[in-house]
Amino acid sequence: MDTAFMRSRLASNLVHEECAPLHPRSCHFHPVQYLRCSPKDSRPCQTLISSSPLRGSTQRVAALPDVDDFFWEKDPTPILDTIDAPIHLKNLSSKELKQLADEVRSEISFIMSRKCQPCSPGRSVVELTIAIHYVFNAPMDKILWDAGQHAYAHKILTGRRSLFHTIKQKNGLSGFTSRFESEYDPFGAGHGCNSLSAGLVLENCLLSGMAVARDINGRKNRIVTVISNWTTMAGQVYEAMGHAGFLDSNMVVILNDSRHTLLPKADGRPKMSVNAFSSALSKVQSSKGFRRFREAAKGLAKWFGKGMHEFAAKVDEYARGMIGPHGATLFEELGLYYIGPIDGHNIDDLICVLKEVATLDSTGPVLVHVITGTESDTAENIKSDITPNVEGPPESSHDILKFLESGLSRTYNDCFVEALTAEAENDKRIVVVHGGMGMDRSLRLFQSRFPDRFFDLGIAEQHAVTFSAGLACGGLKPFCIIPSTFLQRAYDQIVEDVDMQKIPVRFAITNAGLVGSEGPTNSGPFDITFMSCLPNMIVMSPSNEDELIDMVATAAMIEDRPICFRYPRGAIVGTSGTLTYGNPLEIGKGEIVAEGKEIVFLGYGEVVQRCLIARSLLSNFGIQATVANARFCKPLDIDLIRTLCQQHSFLITVEEGTVGGFGSHVSQFISLDGLLDGRIKWRPIVLPDRYIEHASLAEQLDLAGLTAHHIAATALTLLGRHRDALLLMK
């Protein structure tokens, strides 16, 4: 790719606009996206984070280059072309299986790179996926995955290759396993890999449930689940493992260890490695002869009495603990027979061990520890090489990424972290507790500035909430940052440990509302409802990035009760002006953004921007609507609502949330206040009572009836202008 191309084609494709709507062909680059120039060369595109907070910096829109010119040609896949179902793997030789792994990896890279989406986790488990399907017989044997990206190779090998290019698109394949998609997916996967969804660790509980159901029904099929090392941070995993050990039912748990950890050892212990000795030991541990000898020895020790049995058990535990990896005895204590570690990229070793495991009957649950690593091991090195290009057109494919990155748009997360960092500069009591799978890159600004005041707890959301409550009781000001979908898992702690005790924890709820291609698994439609019903909680949501900055300052100021604010993923609205620091808002006070008559839109959150567009659409029909920004769902601005009801005939509440949220609180007030007894007519616009499947964000909003056109059409219908409403929707 030469410089001439960049000066013409790519340069012309990059569009810069100030405070203008997005062009249909443009796309916002998000923190974790990938562009590739060859299957072996991958570099992450990052969101730029300025060192000094800026309010209302000019919005930038980066359009993708023409894919036919930018991406490499697809590599041939002769073996993969012959695979339509897992049964076709059975007759392949070891050499052919290794070639198949390369072809599957190339296929994933080729398709996901065109989508500018990460695929390293999916590429890292290709050999493991092939080995599982080579040994076990799906769909009779149930194979479960706890993370969506880990199942990419699984989807390709189970008859969905022809549709894989539609993944995460409207009416296309789901980004996760789905029972509605294929008989090879016995259960839907959730919160794994990205800032991943509801039911992440359910796979282990499901594993126990499926195994028990199999035993009760007298079936002989095998149950296999693949969990990631990120999953092991959640307590439900250990509950499920303990139950599985107690039931002593036959099942296989494969721990896919990427060798990444959020909490590195204080002693600097090196990452676990796989060598010839550990591979040989794993084969011995999994062999039928060794397992039968071990079971016979246990039976003999029992025959000699309880004391001898306990002594033999301790000898077995100590021996396996000495030759096994650190932490292996934990799984043994939970009742799972530990095998490993095994090289996750050595197909021969994987098949050998899994074959032995598959032939074992009536010996209880087994955990196979597989070291896959991930290609993101090199991401930190790559990341340090990418900086904005300020010296002119790019001269190489490496510089293309620098050139593209200079056009990336800022997101709500960027704005939030910059504002929080500015507050933390002046208030040493501010600390950050992050929960949920995956951390947004923008948070690294705070982490690098205040490493001792930043705690990333992964998917241990319950612990994150109670830990934040403890910090608050100790006199600090914790900001507990958790994506909406992950916050669901910590609701009991929010009620019992925070709200009931009026502990001032500040919840920053990210990824609120619809999230586009991640679908219902990672969407956050419920937080307005389940947070606003708590008696002591202050609940608010900004309409743009300026208000988000002000809400950070507001949350930092509150010290007598808990407070939360939600904001969406994606690019900011883009306003003018510079930021010094946010101005604390008056609690429970909204504002009128645009004045009109007869009909009023009362928006909560970012939908206020769509209400303004709807107002503009209605002006073409000679209708001047009022637009009000509620800001607070709890406490409501009752004076503002009374004024709006007295001055208008129609009130429409708009929110990107479910029934029971902001609109329900407004209707409760106006009905009790007697306002509904007068001339005011109220209509709510909320998300429909169904899950919105994966699609682009614009398509999801259209499916949900939450576009500006839908809002305007609702107003026209209320006014009795049904024909105009139909014309508007067309």
Side-chain angles (χ1 to χ4, degrees), residues 549-575:
I549 294 169
D550 292 338
M551 287 183 181
V552 171
T554 304
M557 176 189 68
I558 298 298
E559 296 195 57
D560 61 343
R561 50 185 160 165
I563 186 171
C564 71
F565 54 94
R566 69 177 333 230
Y567 58 88
R569 71 189 300 183
I572 59 178
V573 175
T575 57

Side-chain angles (χ1 to χ4, degrees), residues 40-63:
K40 297 181 180 179
D41 177 27
S42 62
R43 299 181 185 277
C45 291
Q46 310 161 51
T47 299
L48 297 180
I49 305 172
S50 60
S51 57
S52 59
L54 296 175
R55 168 178 283 181
S57 61
T58 302
Q59 177 172 323
R60 292 174 173 176
V61 179

Side-chain angles (χ1 to χ4, degrees), residues 77 105 177 225 233 289 385 568 596:
T77 54
R105 189 176 287 107
T177 56
T225 187
M233 297 193 67
D385 293 335

